[in-house]
Amino acid sequence: MRKPVIAANWKMYKTPAQAQEFLQAFLPLVANHKRDEILLFPSYVDLSVAIAATKGSNVSVGAQNMHYAEEGAYTGEISPSMIKALGATHVLLGHSERREYFGETDEIINKKLHAALHHGLTPVLCMGETLEERDAGKTEEVLLRHCQEALKGVVPHAAESFIIAYEPIWAIGTGKTATPEIAGLAHFHIRTQVAHLLGRQTADRIRILYGGSVKPENACALLNQPEVDGALVGGASLDPQSFAKIVKY
Ligand code: 13P
């Protein structure tokens, strides 16, 4: 049995004071919730506040990105050790917004993945196709490529704690959600590919989350798909009531 993961990606929203305010409202709403793992990905500047506020709670905190180098002259970047030192446990890697606006390639994401594992940070590896790729019938091919490239050199036992997020780019922030069937099939392709690369046992353990316009209204149908092991929520995670409803789908 894979424990579902419900994760909030706050993207470039919320100041530390707003993060604090969110957590004051949100934590009591999910205090006794044990069925799902709850993850929060605030911006770098909110990490300290979020980590302090969630200490001893059932909510874990991760970073939205990181550099792969240990340290160095990389102005504006944050290293795995810096994130780890704050007490973060997870890191989002390869989000489509990083790929699209900041030139992240599968090769860079692969380096980050290795760095995350080296530092004991659990990676949440994001992948998904564009609308053009879907319309051209290339979804499976794109997911296969993302898996092959991002997972290069990863050994099966290191990958079991991994989380993958399937986020079709056409569904992100558009209000257009993948149908549960579309999500289920894409997750099946990803798991099949992971089994091919890292073995069946690892593939059966990896949690694959769906992301793209998840809302309290559609969470249940998506999360009831057997291949869907959770959700990565953007817009609807910014409000404590709305995110709590999704957690309790
Ligand atoms: P939305 O839920 O706003 O569509 O964002 C999804 C996402 O990108 C989460 O990482």
Side-chain angles (χ1 to χ4, degrees):
M1 269 302 283
R2 297 182 289 263
K3 186 168 183 172
V5 178
I6 311 293
N9 175 9
W10 281 355
K11 308 190 179 186
M12 200 172 75
Y13 291 94
K14 293 194 193 292
T15 62
Q18 289 166 334
Q20 183 93 48
E21 198 184 322
F22 173 98
L23 286 162
Q24 259 164 19
F26 176 71
L27 291 176
L29 299 175
V30 298
N32 299 313
H33 192 85
K34 296 197 174 76
R35 180 193 58 189
D36 309 82
E37 230 171 277
I38 308 170
L39 300 179
L40 189 64
F41 293 94
S43 77
Y44 288 135
V45 297
D46 297 339
L47 280 173
S48 290
V49 161
I51 288 164
T54 54
K55 205 166 183 196
S57 79
N58 53 346
V59 176
S60 304
V61 177
Q64 293 176 13
N65 179 34
M66 62 173 204
H67 197 279
Y68 51 79
E70 188 52 45
E71 59 184 5
Y74 300 106
T75 302
E77 291 292 323
I78 310 272
S79 76
S81 325
M82 291 171 182
I83 292 165
K84 184 84 185 169
L86 286 179
T89 49
H90 293 69
V91 62
L92 274 186
L93 295 178
H95 192 281
S96 61
E97 287 151 15
R98 302 278 337 150
R99 295 180 194 252
E100 187 181 347
Y101 306 130
F102 304 99
E104 283 201 19
T105 60
D106 282 322
E107 193 187 346
I108 294 173
I109 294 158
N110 176 256
K111 285 187 181 169
K112 293 186 175 189
L113 197 72
H114 282 282
L117 292 174
H118 178 72
H119 286 274
L121 288 161
T122 302
V124 179
L125 171 65
C126 306
M127 59 182 71
E129 79 286 2
T130 61
L131 188 58
E132 296 72 52
E133 288 164 340
R134 169 156 290 272
D135 287 346
K138 290 188 173 158
T139 301
E140 198 178 335
E141 186 188 313
V142 169
L143 296 176
L144 189 143
R145 192 185 65 231
H146 284 323
C147 285
Q148 274 174 341
E149 299 296 316
L151 297 174
K152 247 183 209 159
V154 171
V155 293
H157 78 88
E160 286 182 6
S161 64
F162 266 36
I163 299 172
I164 290 178
Y166 168 61
E167 298 207 310
I169 294 167
W170 48 270
I172 296 179
T174 57
K176 260 205 227 166
T177 321
T179 62
E181 294 71 29
I182 288 180
L185 185 61
H187 286 214
F188 171 77
H189 289 320
I190 293 171
R191 203 179 302 282
T192 305
Q193 190 52 31
V194 173
H196 190 65
L197 296 166
L198 300 171
R200 189 75 248 173
Q201 183 177 313
T202 301
D204 284 342
R205 289 194 182 164
I206 285 183
R207 271 89 49 94
I208 306 178
L209 320 184
Y210 168 78
S213 298
V214 175
K215 308 269 179 271
E217 302 77 46
N218 59 26
C220 188
L222 286 159
L223 288 155
N224 277 335
Q225 283 285 315
E227 281 293 334
V228 176
D229 306 316
L232 180 55
V233 188
S237 74
L238 294 169
D239 173 74
Q241 311 286 342
S242 149
F243 188 51
K245 276 190 198 148
I246 297 174
V247 168
K248 296 175 179 176
Y249 64 90

